[in-house]
Amino acid sequence: MKLDPKFKSSENKLFFLDGRECSLEQAQKLDAQTFSRDVKNLTQSSKLFILSLSWKETGLDEDSYNENFLADLRDALKYCEEVEAYAVISPLCDSAADSPAQKEAFTASMKHSARRIKDCENVIGYEIPEAADPDFFVEELSAKHAQYIFFSKNENLLKNPAIVKL
């Protein structure tokens, strides 16, 4: 399933397709679990969210992916389509990711989360986490989610004008 983009990036900024800038300064930052539980109340006061998605909550490997949590997140994000609210997913590496294998497992977990929310049109994209190899992370998530925009706070990554400053 290929979704059409609703946003574009340029010069490290986020824009709606009609050219209006979308400032992330007013985005409500919260964890994905709280968002999933309270989405109907939250979207009454905000239409832009940065959702912290915990590796432990998502699942550390294929054997532990938390499908119930991911299904609840998907349902909340689908609700966002109805009320024209948008979300950026901000992966949180809350377990050790010191080795290349652990970094790969972290990226695999986030890739799995992206697969579970693949039909959610109002997911703008993912933040590139410090705990992942940036090129590998973007490559893995872009493969099936070409509409995603990537975000970062890392000044080195922001040398790429397509990456939006978070």
Side-chain angles (χ1 to χ4, degrees), residues 32-62:
Q33 188 172 50
T34 299
F35 175 78
S36 297
R37 185 178 52 244
D38 298 331
V39 67
K40 290 182 180 176
N41 290 328
L42 292 165
T43 54
Q44 290 179 15
S45 60
S46 182
K47 297 297 182 193
L48 187 59
F49 299 91
I50 298 173
L51 304 178
S52 175
L53 185 62
S54 160
W55 187 15
K56 285 182 181 176
E57 190 76 55
T58 303
L60 299 176
D61 57 41
E62 281 184 56

Side-chain angles (χ1 to χ4, degrees), residues 84-97:
E84 295 185 28
Y86 302 94
V88 172
I89 307 297
S90 179
L92 173 62
C93 184
D94 48 0
S95 292

Side-chain angles (χ1 to χ4, degrees), residues 21 26 33 41 54 60 93 104 111 123 134 140 156 163:
E21 186 173 351
Q26 301 302 316
Q33 188 172 50
N41 290 328
S54 160
L60 299 176
C93 184
E104 195 170 302
K111 181 178 178 182
V123 173
E140 287 293 293
N156 288 328
I163 295 175

Side-chain angles (χ1 to χ4, degrees), residues 130-150:
E130 293 289 328
D133 173 89
D135 293 331
F136 181 68
F137 185 86
V138 170
E139 180 182 325
E140 287 293 293
L141 271 72
S142 294
K144 298 232 175 171
H145 310 282
Q147 81 280 8
Y148 281 171
I149 292 174
F150 291 92

Side-chain angles (χ1 to χ4, degrees), residues 77-134:
L77 291 167
K78 290 302 282 181
Y79 178 78
C80 285
E81 294 173 20
E82 297 174 28
V83 297
E84 295 185 28
Y86 302 94
V88 172
I89 307 297
S90 179
L92 173 62
C93 184
D94 48 0
S95 292
D98 302 327
S99 71
Q102 290 168 323
K103 290 177 188 279
E104 195 170 302
F106 176 58
T107 296
S109 180
M110 292 304 121
K111 181 178 178 182
H112 181 75
S113 74
R115 278 195 306 263
R116 289 303 313 267
I117 61 174
K118 69 182 175 196
D119 65 337
C120 298
E121 296 177 5
N122 288 17
V123 173
I124 302 168
Y126 275 67
E127 179 181 2
I128 302 168
E130 293 289 328
D133 173 89

